[in-house]
Amino acid sequence: VFDRRSGATHLLPEPAPALLAVLEFGPAALDELKARLTRRFDIEESDEAALATRLRELLDVGLIEAR
């Protein structure tokens, strides 16, 4: 993912790219993000701890913001 603001390119492990894709629909709590991932990508329910870790990583590099 290329961040235009910083000019940095980030290589993201799964499910980070999928999380960014479902966040395009707007902010959501973790439960809603899990539901969006399941609907959009037809995947089995994701591990909540793994999703929380990826969200923290996206937050730390400035690709998402907490609301």
Side-chain angles (χ1 to χ4, degrees):
V1 173
F2 179 71
D3 184 353
R4 286 184 233 159
R5 295 173 300 166
S6 69
T9 299
H10 304 278
L11 300 176
L12 305 173
E14 289 296 337
L19 280 169
L20 288 175
V22 297
L23 283 169
E24 289 179 2
F25 298 106
L30 189 57
D31 287 342
E32 174 60 21
L33 288 175
K34 287 170 52 176
R36 288 180 190 178
L37 286 168
T38 300
R39 284 192 307 268
R40 176 134 185 228
F41 295 99
D42 195 28
I43 58 173
E44 294 182 26
E45 189 165 321
S46 301
D47 175 33
E48 192 168 306
L51 290 177
T53 298
R54 294 296 170 249
L55 286 170
R56 172 57 60 193
E57 291 170 354
L58 294 171
L59 186 64
D60 289 347
V61 296
L63 294 176
I64 63 170
E65 62 183 40
R67 292 194 180 188

